[in-house]
Amino acid sequence: MEKLKKYNQKLLAVLGSIAIVFLVIGLIGFCSILISEYQRTSYYDNQDDGILSEEKIEELQKENKREQVISYETPKLIDTLQQLYIIPVSQKSLEDAEIINKSNLLNMYHEALILEKEKADIRYSGSYYGNFNNIIIYNQKTGNTQKLFTERVNFSGFKTVYFDDDIFLLCNVATKDSYKDGVINLRDFKSLYMYSFYSKKFQQVGDSELPIIDYQFINNSKELLIRYGIDKNTNGTYEEYREPSILKRYNFQTEKLTDIVDGKLHNELQQILEGSKK
């Protein structure tokens, strides 16, 4: 009986130790999940910062202050033969507004730009994501740099598309605080912008009042099939789950944007849906 009692005590001690180990492991795992979730949330919160609205900028300018500063991302090799790179330009939000000292603007970016050698096939990855306000075209052969945008914009990514005779750079860009929340970011209306590395032509596709949702090239041609959103409740942001969209076709050469579905057919479909056509 005494032996059985000691055996039970030892068994309970072992089981208790195992339970404590599992409890500690579970607690560590739970803390790791909380930390990861916090970091992920913090990252996306920063991504939603966008650039400040014109109204906010005007307030800061009156005090000769700024709340955001330029930041440069890793250069991307676009054309191996011509040694052409694009340098995404993003922004960082300061914890507190600072006085603008124009004499020190160039000193904000004082480190030399180092371009690592990349394999030729890396440039075909196509899409890049982040929180950007401009793009610089850098020609390593000549040392020349060129900015694409001359106005204040915000975009979350861009895409490079390769043809036999050209390379296109495309990005969905917000230029106005359409949502009226004091920030130009992904909640605002976005327009499609295209840049041709061959012709050096940079153009906006469509009207900035018609927010772009997505696009695709048609049969490997330079014509685009574009889906635009309709801000039916006029709140300044497109809500895909409750607001309609339309399809248009864009020709890069002629710069013409035309409807895929004409007005007559659209009205017929709407009448069938609402039951007004018997």
Side-chain angles (χ1 to χ4, degrees), residues 111-146:
E111 297 181 357
L113 182 63
I114 301 175
L115 299 176
E116 297 181 357
K117 293 183 178 179
E118 303 181 40
K119 296 180 181 179
D121 59 349
I122 292 180
R123 65 189 178 96
Y124 292 101
S125 57
S127 299
Y128 309 92
Y129 302 97
N131 190 349
F132 311 121
N133 62 68
N134 217 320
I135 291 178
I136 293 175
I137 308 298
Y138 172 61
N139 188 320
Q140 189 179 14
K141 284 185 176 181
T142 64
N144 291 334
T145 55
Q146 168 200 348

